[in-house]
Amino acid sequence: MNTKNKNILKMVGILFVGVLLGWLVFGGSDAPKSEDEHSHVEGMETIWTCSMHPQIQMKEPGQCPLCGMDLIPLESNDSAIDPNALQMTEDAMKLANVQTMVVGGSKETNKKLALNGKVQIDERKLYTQSSHIPGRIEKLYINFTGEKVNRGQTLAMVYSPELVTAQEELLQAYRIKETQPELFEAAKQKLNNWKIGESTINKIISSNKPIQQFPITADVSGIITAKKVDLGDYVSQGMPIYEIADLSSLWVLFDVYESDMPWVKVGNKINYTIQSLPGESFEGVVTFIDPLINPQTRVASARVEVKNPENKLKPEMFASGVVNNNVSTSTSKDIVIPKSAVMWTGERSVVYIKSIVSNKVNFKLREVILGASLGDAYVIKEGLSIGEEIVVNGTFTVDAASQLAGKPSMMNPEGGKAVTGHEGMNMGDDDMKRP
């Protein structure tokens, strides 16, 4: 073989080796590149949604659980979006009537508490009139309850054999007073113990004969609320015969249920009306709250003291009152939100927080700790901060959408599998196959 042919073969060999190396280099680099691109595409999870209900977001294709339309993929999946948050468009919020509010600082909030009660006798002005003389009731001058008496007025006349004997001893001691003055003083003291005054004792001595009947006089002025004896009854010393009440001032006792006790304090003003006095209103101040709860009714009494100079108020009248209680001050850190914003499961209380991420509206579940109830609002002790935005209307709609999308919801705080509609279709097919 000549030199020319050797050069040709050498060039062909070099060309073959170059082609082979080029295929190995460029062909080998294409495979990893394709593999990398494939893995990158697989790493981007496709989210499927409904064109009519954008709040529906599924991880798998299927049908919209609300309208039955086929789900379509979202145009983009922003990695900044919280996977536990629910996305909704402004149009979807309007369609679902979802309304929100920004949580503000504590403001002047009043708690109106309605109370029912009764007018009662002031226990400090209720007096039991007793007999200071043992004996038999010979006359009764007060024969029925409700009659007014004045202090010193005679209520009854009593015949007392013991008192007659004591008077005879007094007369005998008076005759030997000069020789035995101690005996005379002892006889007088015995009568004094029965509330026989000095003037009556002098009258007995001057007449030189015992008095057969002695009066029982009223110790206080007031109204007879109970009569405990009848004509001819025998009474012992200290036995109650009447109950007398001074009605110039009364109590209005309002029932405070156990759950309402934090809202009623001593010093609170109560505006109240009396059922039997239509058109008139009264105002009082709570002066005392019963420290004991009635075990049967589960209520305690809040006392309001009221003057009754014209006797317009009478015991046992029904009263209806309202307590206006300021539950927050400018320095309080408590937050007050509407009750419509709170969902309560019995164990937990939750709200939905609105946020804007990548120009998209997100709603996320959050647990809160409730404070006192204010009628149509709650005091929030923990879980919210001033400036956050919460759902106040359509809360259950947002929660239902979260549950369908597999997001954390009121009944499933950990989230779950999204409802795509296939489960229902399969269930129906199985049911049709059953005989």
Side-chain angles (χ1 to χ4, degrees), residues 287-340:
T287 58
F288 179 80
I289 297 176
D290 197 336
L292 303 177
I293 295 178
N294 188 306
Q296 281 76 38
T297 61
R298 307 305 301 170
V299 299
S301 295
R303 179 194 305 167
V304 175
E305 300 178 12
V306 55
K307 299 294 182 181
N308 189 35
E310 300 178 2
N311 291 324
K312 295 172 64 176
L313 301 180
K314 304 183 186 304
E316 300 301 324
M317 282 183 170
F318 285 104
S320 299
V322 175
V323 177
N324 288 316
N325 207 325
N326 180 22
V327 300
S328 60
T329 62
S330 58
T331 59
S332 175
K333 295 183 179 179
D334 293 342
I335 294 174
V336 179
I337 65 173
K339 277 190 174 180
S340 59

Side-chain angles (χ1 to χ4, degrees), residues 135-359:
R136 183 177 67 249
I137 302 294
E138 294 289 330
K139 292 181 182 179
L140 275 179
Y141 294 101
I142 303 299
N143 295 309
F144 56 88
T145 58
E147 191 168 354
K148 184 178 180 179
V149 298
N150 296 315
R151 181 177 181 180
Q153 180 179 342
T154 300
L155 304 176
M157 298 296 291
V158 176
Y159 168 74
S160 175
E162 297 180 17
L163 193 53
V164 171
T165 302
Q167 292 178 79
E168 293 176 348
E169 293 175 354
L170 175 67
L171 294 175
Q172 293 176 3
Y174 180 73
R175 297 187 186 100
I176 58 174
K177 175 182 177 182
E178 299 298 332
T179 58
Q180 298 185 13
E182 297 83 1
L183 184 61
F184 176 71
E185 293 298 328
K188 285 178 60 178
Q189 185 61 43
K190 188 175 183 180
L191 292 174
N192 289 333
N193 292 339
W194 277 316
K195 292 189 177 182
I196 305 299
E198 194 69 28
S199 60
T200 304
I201 293 175
N202 293 333
K203 182 179 178 181
I204 295 170
I205 294 174
S206 61
S207 63
N208 198 27
K209 61 179 181 180
I211 299 175
Q212 298 298 316
Q213 296 179 1
F214 276 85
I216 298 177
T217 58
D219 295 332
V220 295
S221 300
I223 303 296
I224 299 295
T225 58
K227 183 171 76 75
K228 298 181 177 295
V229 294
D230 294 314
L231 187 64
D233 287 348
Y234 281 84
V235 294
S236 59
Q237 186 176 6
M239 177 179 174
I241 58 176
Y242 293 104
E243 286 187 0
I244 305 174
D246 182 3
L247 304 184
S248 61
S249 63
L250 297 169
W251 288 348
V252 184
L253 300 181
F254 291 97
D255 293 333
V256 182
Y257 286 94
E258 188 175 0
S259 58
D260 294 330
M261 292 192 69
W263 302 112
V264 182
K265 305 293 184 183
V266 173
N268 286 151
K269 290 184 178 180
I270 296 184
N271 296 312
Y272 62 96
T273 58
I274 303 297
Q275 186 175 352
S276 56
L277 299 175
E280 296 190 44
S281 60
F282 304 86
E283 184 180 81
V285 178
V286 177
T287 58
F288 179 80
I289 297 176
D290 197 336
L292 303 177
I293 295 178
N294 188 306
Q296 281 76 38
T297 61
R298 307 305 301 170
V299 299
S301 295
R303 179 194 305 167
V304 175
E305 300 178 12
V306 55
K307 299 294 182 181
N308 189 35
E310 300 178 2
N311 291 324
K312 295 172 64 176
L313 301 180
K314 304 183 186 304
E316 300 301 324
M317 282 183 170
F318 285 104
S320 299
V322 175
V323 177
N324 288 316
N325 207 325
N326 180 22
V327 300
S328 60
T329 62
S330 58
T331 59
S332 175
K333 295 183 179 179
D334 293 342
I335 294 174
V336 179
I337 65 173
K339 277 190 174 180
S340 59
V342 181
M343 293 184 294
W344 183 63
T345 66
E347 296 180 353
R348 299 179 301 111
S349 300
V350 295
V351 298
Y352 272 94
I353 309 296
K354 177 185 175 183
S355 61
I356 304 296
V357 179
S358 300
N359 295 324

